[in-house]
Amino acid sequence: MAGTSGLPNSSSLGNLPHLKSNGSRKRCADLCFELLFNECISSFQQRQPGPHAMASLEAIGFRVGRLMAERLSKDRPRFVDVLETVKFICKEFWQYLYGKQIDNLRTNRRGVFVLQDNAFKYLKRLAPVSTIPLDPASEEIMRQIAITRLAIPCGIIKGALCHLGVPCVSVDAEVKAPPSCSFTIKVTTSS
């Protein structure tokens, strides 16, 4: 059952009765990734508090975004315009990464795009359990935690757009009520 390291290898995991179905394996993989995601954020915050941690997390996301965009777009023709590229991010790219499409895309047609996700996977555990409103200080703490958790996805979006040839100026996240969030993308437009 175990490999030479004493850990189960991938073929022995298939023999475990509670991981037989693909649905169970997917849930297990999702949970493991969420735990790794949380630990990564916690580790960066402890080592480099404040803006340095956010910049480091965004840099990790940027690299992941470039690699994922390369993987998902390698067999596709080049995108014609920025809107088509952002639609690709909202549909196929988001579906691949988070198991669902973006819920809403808005644009001012001048280089600003707002992507709305009403149930972002990694903010679900931050959503209030009860309907009792939080005091303003607690709300602000929850909002800051949520913004920190969105540093990696902001970097992922920015890295994907960079790989796909979109000159992205910034990607900012906003959280009003977890698990809902929005990402504002600003790109340079040629006049």
Side-chain angles (χ1 to χ4, degrees), residues 56-70:
S56 297
L57 292 167
E58 190 172 326
I60 290 169
F62 187 86
R63 178 151 167 78
V64 169
R66 285 184 67 107
L67 294 171
M68 296 311 297
E70 179 181 356

PDB file of all heavy atoms in Angstrom, residues 56-70:
ATOM      1  N   SER A  56       3.412  39.615  -2.759  1.00  0.00           N
ATOM      2  CA  SER A  56       3.955  38.267  -2.951  1.00  0.00           C
ATOM      3  C   SER A  56       2.873  37.289  -3.390  1.00  0.00           C
ATOM      4  O   SER A  56       3.081  36.467  -4.279  1.00  0.00           O
ATOM      5  CB  SER A  56       4.610  37.756  -1.669  1.00  0.00           C
ATOM      6  OG  SER A  56       5.702  38.551  -1.326  1.00  0.00           O
ATOM      7  N   LEU A  57       1.701  37.380  -2.751  1.00  0.00           N
ATOM      8  CA  LEU A  57       0.592  36.500  -3.127  1.00  0.00           C
ATOM      9  C   LEU A  57       0.127  36.788  -4.548  1.00  0.00           C
ATOM     10  O   LEU A  57      -0.156  35.869  -5.318  1.00  0.00           O
ATOM     11  CB  LEU A  57      -0.564  36.654  -2.139  1.00  0.00           C
ATOM     12  CG  LEU A  57      -0.300  36.139  -0.727  1.00  0.00           C
ATOM     13  CD1 LEU A  57      -1.375  36.618   0.236  1.00  0.00           C
ATOM     14  CD2 LEU A  57      -0.203  34.625  -0.713  1.00  0.00           C
ATOM     15  N   GLU A  58       0.077  38.057  -4.914  1.00  0.00           N
ATOM     16  CA  GLU A  58      -0.321  38.414  -6.277  1.00  0.00           C
ATOM     17  C   GLU A  58       0.704  37.911  -7.295  1.00  0.00           C
ATOM     18  O   GLU A  58       0.346  37.473  -8.388  1.00  0.00           O
ATOM     19  CB  GLU A  58      -0.517  39.920  -6.412  1.00  0.00           C
ATOM     20  CG  GLU A  58      -1.170  40.296  -7.731  1.00  0.00           C
ATOM     21  CD  GLU A  58      -1.564  41.758  -7.819  1.00  0.00           C
ATOM     22  OE1 GLU A  58      -1.945  42.351  -6.801  1.00  0.00           O
ATOM     23  OE2 GLU A  58      -1.488  42.290  -8.941  1.00  0.00           O
ATOM     24  N   ALA A  59       1.976  37.949  -6.939  1.00  0.00           N
ATOM     25  CA  ALA A  59       3.029  37.452  -7.831  1.00  0.00           C
ATOM     26  C   ALA A  59       2.882  35.944  -8.058  1.00  0.00           C
ATOM     27  O   ALA A  59       3.086  35.449  -9.171  1.00  0.00           O
ATOM     28  CB  ALA A  59       4.411  37.774  -7.270  1.00  0.00           C
ATOM     29  N   ILE A  60       2.529  35.217  -6.999  1.00  0.00           N
ATOM     30  CA  ILE A  60       2.275  33.775  -7.149  1.00  0.00           C
ATOM     31  C   ILE A  60       1.113  33.567  -8.112  1.00  0.00           C
ATOM     32  O   ILE A  60       1.180  32.752  -9.038  1.00  0.00           O
ATOM     33  CB  ILE A  60       1.964  33.127  -5.786  1.00  0.00           C
ATOM     34  CG1 ILE A  60       3.209  33.096  -4.916  1.00  0.00           C
ATOM     35  CG2 ILE A  60       1.407  31.719  -5.960  1.00  0.00           C
ATOM     36  CD1 ILE A  60       2.937  32.712  -3.471  1.00  0.00           C
ATOM     37  N   GLY A  61       0.036  34.321  -7.903  1.00  0.00           N
ATOM     38  CA  GLY A  61      -1.121  34.222  -8.782  1.00  0.00           C
ATOM     39  C   GLY A  61      -0.786  34.578 -10.220  1.00  0.00           C
ATOM     40  O   GLY A  61      -1.272  33.941 -11.158  1.00  0.00           O
ATOM     41  N   PHE A  62       0.046  35.595 -10.405  1.00  0.00           N
ATOM     42  CA  PHE A  62       0.440  36.019 -11.755  1.00  0.00           C
ATOM     43  C   PHE A  62       1.096  34.866 -12.514  1.00  0.00           C
ATOM     44  O   PHE A  62       0.752  34.586 -13.654  1.00  0.00           O
ATOM     45  CB  PHE A  62       1.393  37.213 -11.663  1.00  0.00           C
ATOM     46  CG  PHE A  62       1.724  37.830 -12.985  1.00  0.00           C
ATOM     47  CD1 PHE A  62       0.900  38.801 -13.531  1.00  0.00           C
ATOM     48  CD2 PHE A  62       2.856  37.449 -13.683  1.00  0.00           C
ATOM     49  CE1 PHE A  62       1.203  39.385 -14.754  1.00  0.00           C
ATOM     50  CE2 PHE A  62       3.168  38.009 -14.897  1.00  0.00           C
ATOM     51  CZ  PHE A  62       2.341  38.990 -15.446  1.00  0.00           C
ATOM     52  N   ARG A  63       2.013  34.196 -11.855  1.00  0.00           N
ATOM     53  CA  ARG A  63       2.708  33.063 -12.495  1.00  0.00           C
ATOM     54  C   ARG A  63       1.725  31.943 -12.813  1.00  0.00           C
ATOM     55  O   ARG A  63       1.760  31.373 -13.903  1.00  0.00           O
ATOM     56  CB  ARG A  63       3.824  32.557 -11.597  1.00  0.00           C
ATOM     57  CG  ARG A  63       4.564  31.366 -12.168  1.00  0.00           C
ATOM     58  CD  ARG A  63       5.990  31.317 -11.687  1.00  0.00           C
ATOM     59  NE  ARG A  63       6.623  30.068 -11.968  1.00  0.00           N
ATOM     60  CZ  ARG A  63       7.095  29.699 -13.161  1.00  0.00           C
ATOM     61  NH1 ARG A  63       6.970  30.490 -14.191  1.00  0.00           N
ATOM     62  NH2 ARG A  63       7.687  28.529 -13.319  1.00  0.00           N
ATOM     63  N   VAL A  64       0.852  31.623 -11.878  1.00  0.00           N
ATOM     64  CA  VAL A  64      -0.155  30.576 -12.102  1.00  0.00           C
ATOM     65  C   VAL A  64      -1.064  30.969 -13.259  1.00  0.00           C
ATOM     66  O   VAL A  64      -1.373  30.156 -14.129  1.00  0.00           O
ATOM     67  CB  VAL A  64      -0.971  30.320 -10.816  1.00  0.00           C
ATOM     68  CG1 VAL A  64      -2.182  29.440 -11.090  1.00  0.00           C
ATOM     69  CG2 VAL A  64      -0.092  29.693  -9.745  1.00  0.00           C
ATOM     70  N   GLY A  65      -1.492  32.224 -13.281  1.00  0.00           N
ATOM     71  CA  GLY A  65      -2.375  32.699 -14.351  1.00  0.00           C
ATOM     72  C   GLY A  65      -1.747  32.594 -15.725  1.00  0.00           C
ATOM     73  O   GLY A  65      -2.401  32.180 -16.690  1.00  0.00           O
ATOM     74  N   ARG A  66      -0.469  32.965 -15.823  1.00  0.00           N
ATOM     75  CA  ARG A  66       0.229  32.846 -17.119  1.00  0.00           C
ATOM     76  C   ARG A  66       0.286  31.389 -17.577  1.00  0.00           C
ATOM     77  O   ARG A  66       0.027  31.075 -18.742  1.00  0.00           O
ATOM     78  CB  ARG A  66       1.645  33.410 -17.018  1.00  0.00           C
ATOM     79  CG  ARG A  66       1.703  34.912 -17.000  1.00  0.00           C
ATOM     80  CD  ARG A  66       3.148  35.370 -16.996  1.00  0.00           C
ATOM     81  NE  ARG A  66       3.798  35.029 -18.241  1.00  0.00           N
ATOM     82  CZ  ARG A  66       4.121  35.904 -19.187  1.00  0.00           C
ATOM     83  NH1 ARG A  66       3.858  37.170 -19.003  1.00  0.00           N
ATOM     84  NH2 ARG A  66       4.714  35.513 -20.283  1.00  0.00           N
ATOM     85  N   LEU A  67       0.642  30.503 -16.657  1.00  0.00           N
ATOM     86  CA  LEU A  67       0.759  29.089 -17.007  1.00  0.00           C
ATOM     87  C   LEU A  67      -0.593  28.477 -17.374  1.00  0.00           C
ATOM     88  O   LEU A  67      -0.696  27.702 -18.336  1.00  0.00           O
ATOM     89  CB  LEU A  67       1.409  28.311 -15.862  1.00  0.00           C
ATOM     90  CG  LEU A  67       2.867  28.652 -15.573  1.00  0.00           C
ATOM     91  CD1 LEU A  67       3.335  27.986 -14.284  1.00  0.00           C
ATOM     92  CD2 LEU A  67       3.754  28.258 -16.737  1.00  0.00           C
ATOM     93  N   MET A  68      -1.630  28.826 -16.615  1.00  0.00           N
ATOM     94  CA  MET A  68      -2.960  28.277 -16.900  1.00  0.00           C
ATOM     95  C   MET A  68      -3.497  28.808 -18.226  1.00  0.00           C
ATOM     96  O   MET A  68      -4.103  28.072 -19.002  1.00  0.00           O
ATOM     97  CB  MET A  68      -3.940  28.595 -15.762  1.00  0.00           C
ATOM     98  CG  MET A  68      -3.565  27.953 -14.437  1.00  0.00           C
ATOM     99  SD  MET A  68      -3.173  26.187 -14.515  1.00  0.00           S
ATOM    100  CE  MET A  68      -4.697  25.513 -15.056  1.00  0.00           C
ATOM    101  N   ALA A  69      -3.283  30.095 -18.505  1.00  0.00           N
ATOM    102  CA  ALA A  69      -3.737  30.672 -19.775  1.00  0.00           C
ATOM    103  C   ALA A  69      -3.003  30.024 -20.943  1.00  0.00           C
ATOM    104  O   ALA A  69      -3.599  29.747 -21.989  1.00  0.00           O
ATOM    105  CB  ALA A  69      -3.531  32.181 -19.778  1.00  0.00           C
ATOM    106  N   GLU A  70      -1.713  29.764 -20.757  1.00  0.00           N
ATOM    107  CA  GLU A  70      -0.942  29.085 -21.806  1.00  0.00           C
ATOM    108  C   GLU A  70      -1.521  27.706 -22.076  1.00  0.00           C
ATOM    109  O   GLU A  70      -1.720  27.306 -23.224  1.00  0.00           O
ATOM    110  CB  GLU A  70       0.521  28.977 -21.391  1.00  0.00           C
ATOM    111  CG  GLU A  70       1.388  28.265 -22.405  1.00  0.00           C
ATOM    112  CD  GLU A  70       2.834  28.144 -21.953  1.00  0.00           C
ATOM    113  OE1 GLU A  70       3.204  28.667 -20.891  1.00  0.00           O
ATOM    114  OE2 GLU A  70       3.601  27.498 -22.697  1.00  0.00           O
TER     115      GLU A  70
END
